[in-house]
Amino acid sequence: MPDPVFLGPISGRFKADPLFPNPHSETGYRDGPAPEATVIVPTLNEAGNIGPLIDRLFAQPGLADRIEVIVADDASTDGTRDEVRERSARRPVRLVEPPGPADLTGAVLHAARHARGRWCVVMDADGSHPPERVADLLRPLEDGRADVAVGSRHVTGGEIADWPKWRHTVSRVAALLAWPFTSVRDPMSGFFATSTERLSSLEPLRAGYKVLLELLVRSKPEPRVIEIPFRFADRHAGESKMTVAVQWLFVRRLAALGGARLTLGNATRFGAVGLSGVVIDLAIFWLLQSLGATLATAHFGSFLAATLSNFALNYHWSFAGTFRRDEPAWKRYPRFLLTALLALCVRGGVLALLVGLGIPAAVAIVPAVAATAVINYLGSIFYVFPAREGHHDPAVRWRLAALALIALSLLIRWLYLGRVELIFDEMYYWVYQARPALSYLDHPPLTAWLIWIGTQVAGDTPAGVRLATVVLAPIAMVYAYLFGRDVAGKTRGLLAAMLVATVPGWLATGFLMTTDAALVTAWLAALFHARRALVDGRRGHWWPTGIAIGLGMLAKYTAAFLGPAILVFALVHAPARRRLADWRPYAAALLCFALFSPVLVWNAQHDWASFTFQATRRIAEDAGFGSHLLLVHTVAMLAPLAGLVALYALGPARR
């Protein structure tokens, strides 16, 4: 049986008259001039709710003579249809019966094909969406300010009334899962308005979960969206349609919108293939060991053989006939191997962590292998064997890839936090913290202070020394995302955060507790807040700019260059230059120097020894330059990701 999540456009549903495609599925009023807007209300056993809702809609001043109501009923077995038919005799109310099995998205899109108004407003029948706000949703569409107006519970002024905590949690988690697909704060809202043309142009898919999310992701070109706050009230009567089955359908539909086919069937087959890979891995390992191979050779050889076997079986069995055949197997295998290597790193970290906590290795290997299987499976369904029928929006797929790499980068860092020996620089700064001071000869004090805090919490261990990076690295990635998003949108923001998470040079600053760890975080924070203050004119951002530069200077003196750089930008950029007429940038500069004052006090007490040492050492160092060294250092800091990005930029991305 075909998978309902991936059923394509429902053929044959809309081949009759374009205004009333299926007259046998429709009853009620359809005479008179076309209304300005059509209110679409999907129903399933909403007796006691739908009648009062229709009455309230037509009781709204200035709305009654502008709208029609279409109730799209999915085979209700109570008195829902009777309530609608009763009102259709005297008002522009129609009842349509979508063909096929019950499905919310299909019902709404079917009703949109019947709509006569220029605009469509979609709302629930249970009384949770106030009819009093319908006119507010229509206004930005009529004014030309937006293509979609969303009734939002999660923007300022919006709220949810009478929900238990678990419903709030479910709603927030669902919105979080949908975050990579859209920038709307409340993509789970069932209360929105758009043009009838836009809504009816979507090919109806069975088993859609949230009509708004489908509209935002699948609608081309990307719509302009405005969110209108409203108070969401719990249903007046009847039972909620939210079940575990519906939630599972939502997760599967999100995967489909990301290009993946998430089913229990292919997950089971993938697990069976994984077990066969374990057998092959062990057999090859023992064979190579018996032939005299070194431990490293046997381990890598058996791992490579297992990945080749797993890839072949998944290609020809687990996902056979369901994935896109747009590239040969040899191009897919490197992605499969990369996913397997990342999963292997996680497995080793989980195993080491659990064994370190006193759990026997024979027990600890179970969650370690489970984590590996989840990573391998998700990587396979999204990027190795993407579904043929899935939605393949490049922006969405890049966002999901970036989030996955960011999450894996942070997870691997944290798992190995205390498993890797300290490097010389870290031990050097650990010695600093043993003698607390306002500053030190060759470096400002922030790194030593952070190490002192970490060792007080986790002891004089590698984990204690590096504990601050657990906080600094995510903050750096968040600021990279925010800065990139402000400059070039959500997708580029996530790619910026991904580069900070994965490029070796940045990866080291987020894992090793050197002076660069705090410097990079402060630098990115300063860039974000300075741009907000200088370019966007948001004057409140001068304060965090000053704080970020001050903390950066406490980590490493080079952060001081940010001040002159901001000044130069303001002088050459006319709109930014006008920002200097405000008093806040100068107050922020004073705040910066106040934070840096411990270093100034220490230097004043020690004949400016640190500043003198840094200046004379830098001058005395060899200032020679070699172009070949620049290339070597660039590759060392950025490879291999930089090379892959360059190749991609010169290939498919250019087109």
Side-chain angles (χ1 to χ4, degrees):
M1 175 180 288
D3 187 339
V5 174
F6 287 99
L7 279 178
I10 304 172
S11 60
R13 290 180 68 174
F14 307 112
K15 293 185 177 180
D17 183 280
L19 184 58
F20 302 110
N22 186 0
H24 298 292
S25 72
E26 177 188 352
T27 60
Y29 181 100
R30 62 181 186 185
D31 298 325
E36 294 179 28
T38 299
V39 179
I40 297 175
V41 186
T43 58
L44 176 60
N45 295 329
E46 293 292 352
N49 287 325
I50 186 60
L53 175 65
I54 294 173
D55 295 339
R56 288 175 64 193
L57 281 168
F58 285 101
Q60 298 307 307
L63 191 64
D65 56 348
R66 299 171 53 203
I67 65 169
E68 67 170 351
V69 175
I70 296 181
V71 177
D73 186 68
D74 266 330
S76 292
T77 57
D78 59 1
T80 298
R81 297 187 179 190
D82 295 334
E83 291 186 24
V84 177
R85 291 191 183 102
E86 177 187 345
R87 285 157 179 82
S88 67
R90 60 184 187 276
R91 289 173 176 154
V93 176
R94 287 182 280 151
L95 174 70
V96 298
E97 304 171 26
D103 170 58
L104 176 64
T105 299
V108 170
L109 297 183
H110 179 69
R113 300 297 178 97
H114 290 253
R116 297 193 298 155
R118 180 184 178 187
W119 314 108
C120 278
V121 178
V122 179
M123 62 190 306
D124 290 346
D126 58 13
S128 57
H129 299 152
E132 295 79 12
R133 300 293 275 172
V134 169
D136 296 328
L137 291 181
L138 290 171
R139 195 168 297 116
L141 305 180
E142 296 167 338
D143 295 344
R145 291 182 286 125
D147 302 311
V148 180
V150 178
S152 179
R153 301 162 292 183
H154 302 321
V155 296
T156 303
E159 64 173 315
I160 299 175
D162 304 324
W163 261 15
K165 287 185 177 180
W166 72 268
R167 288 285 302 274
H168 280 281
T169 302
V170 169
S171 177
R172 288 293 187 178
V173 170
L176 180 63
L177 291 175
W179 182 83
F181 300 88
T182 174
S183 298
V184 172
R185 295 283 298 276
D186 192 2
M188 299 295 101
S189 177
F191 189 32
F192 66 92
T194 188
S195 68
T196 301
E197 179 183 7
R198 181 179 291 273
L199 186 60
S200 61
S201 67
L202 288 181
E203 292 290 353
L205 296 175
R206 286 200 180 102
Y209 174 72
K210 282 293 184 180
V211 189
L212 175 62
L213 183 61
E214 300 279 339
L215 177 71
L216 295 174
V217 176
R218 293 165 51 203
S219 182
K220 299 300 177 185
E222 184 176 351
R224 298 169 300 153
V225 183
I226 188 170
E227 295 191 70
I228 308 295
F230 81 101
R231 183 178 186 272
F232 182 93
D234 206 0
R235 63 169 43 249
H236 292 170
E239 296 181 355
S240 172
K241 310 302 187 295
M242 180 61 66
T243 63
V244 174
V246 170
Q247 294 173 31
W248 169 239
L249 176 62
F250 167 63
V251 173
R252 294 186 60 205
R253 187 59 194 152
L254 280 182
L257 291 174
R261 185 185 183 94
L262 174 63
T263 70
L264 293 177
N266 66 22
T268 302
R269 292 190 294 273
F270 186 87
V273 169
L275 290 176
S276 73
V278 172
V279 175
I280 292 173
D281 193 344
L282 293 175
I284 298 295
F285 179 82
W286 288 330
L287 176 62
L288 292 176
Q289 283 272 277
S290 65
L291 294 176
T294 64
L295 180 63
T297 300
H299 182 265
F300 182 76
S302 62
F303 172 77
L304 187 62
T307 61
L308 287 167
S309 170
N310 286 3
F311 177 79
L313 289 172
N314 286 322
Y315 189 94
H316 293 290
W317 181 52
S318 300
F319 306 104
T322 63
F323 64 89
R324 299 180 71 182
R325 299 280 180 169
D326 55 347
E327 61 181 355
W330 66 269
K331 286 188 175 182
R332 296 176 189 272
Y333 175 70
R335 294 199 296 272
F336 186 82
L337 180 60
L338 176 61
T339 303
L341 288 171
L342 289 171
L344 188 65
C345 290
V346 172
R347 185 179 76 175
V350 171
L351 183 61
L353 175 66
L354 296 178
V355 170
L357 294 175
I359 299 175
V363 176
I365 193 63
V366 175
V369 170
T372 304
V374 170
I375 294 170
N376 279 325
Y377 175 68
L378 293 177
S380 293
I381 63 174
F382 278 100
Y383 294 103
V384 184
F385 305 105
R388 184 175 58 242
E389 306 92 340
H391 185 76
H392 296 278
D393 183 339
V396 170
R397 291 176 60 74
W398 269 111
R399 291 175 193 172
L400 293 174
L403 286 169
L405 288 173
I406 290 169
L408 286 173
S409 171
L410 289 173
L411 180 60
I412 290 172
R413 295 172 199 230
W414 296 338
L415 287 173
Y416 289 94
L417 187 70
R419 304 294 165 186
V420 180
E421 291 297 326
L422 299 177
I423 65 172
F424 174 80
D425 285 23
E426 291 176 300
M427 292 187 284
Y428 185 51
Y429 302 131
W430 174 80
V431 173
Y432 275 25
Q433 64 84 35
R435 306 210 187 288
L438 293 178
S439 190
Y440 301 92
L441 174 64
D442 55 349
H443 284 293
L446 185 57
T447 301
W449 294 351
L450 292 174
I451 291 176
W452 181 85
I453 294 172
T455 54
Q456 295 302 305
V457 174
D460 286 324
T461 63
V465 172
R466 297 188 180 118
L467 190 62
T469 64
V470 172
V471 177
L472 293 174
I475 293 176
M477 294 174 202
V478 168
Y479 272 116
Y481 163 72
L482 293 173
F483 183 79
R485 183 200 62 185
D486 283 2
V487 171
K490 186 172 188 173
T491 302
R492 274 76 173 187
L494 283 171
L495 291 177
M498 181 192 75
L499 292 173
V500 171
T502 57
V503 168
W506 292 85
L507 179 62
T509 63
F511 176 72
L512 302 175
M513 194 56 205
T514 66
T515 54
D516 290 324
L519 172 69
V520 165
T521 303
W523 196 292
L524 289 168
L527 286 179
F528 167 73
H529 291 293
R531 186 200 169 280
R532 284 284 180 98
L534 284 169
V535 178
D536 297 339
R538 300 172 68 169
R539 294 178 295 181
H541 282 265
W542 282 116
W543 304 112
T545 300
I547 292 172
I549 297 176
L551 292 176
M553 291 166 61
L554 281 177
K556 202 169 186 177
Y557 291 137
T558 48
F561 289 111
L562 278 166
I566 290 172
L567 180 61
V568 169
F569 175 79
L571 291 176
V572 301
H573 188 262
R577 188 162 57 247
R578 291 192 291 270
R579 318 290 188 208
L580 297 182
D582 187 50
W583 59 272
R584 289 174 182 81
Y586 308 101
L590 292 176
L591 177 60
C592 169
F593 279 105
L595 289 171
F596 188 62
S597 61
V599 177
L600 298 175
V601 171
W602 186 92
N603 273 274
Q605 294 173 343
H606 295 82
D607 298 323
W608 311 102
S610 182
F611 295 155
T612 303
F613 174 77
Q614 286 290 338
T616 56
R617 187 178 70 166
R618 298 306 177 192
I619 294 173
E621 285 179 349
D622 182 9
F625 174 80
S627 57
H628 66 288
L629 292 177
L630 176 63
L631 177 62
V632 170
H633 291 163
T634 301
V635 171
M637 292 295 286
L638 300 180
L641 189 61
L644 295 175
V645 170
L647 289 174
Y648 183 83
L650 295 174
R654 183 184 62 223
R655 294 193 294 272

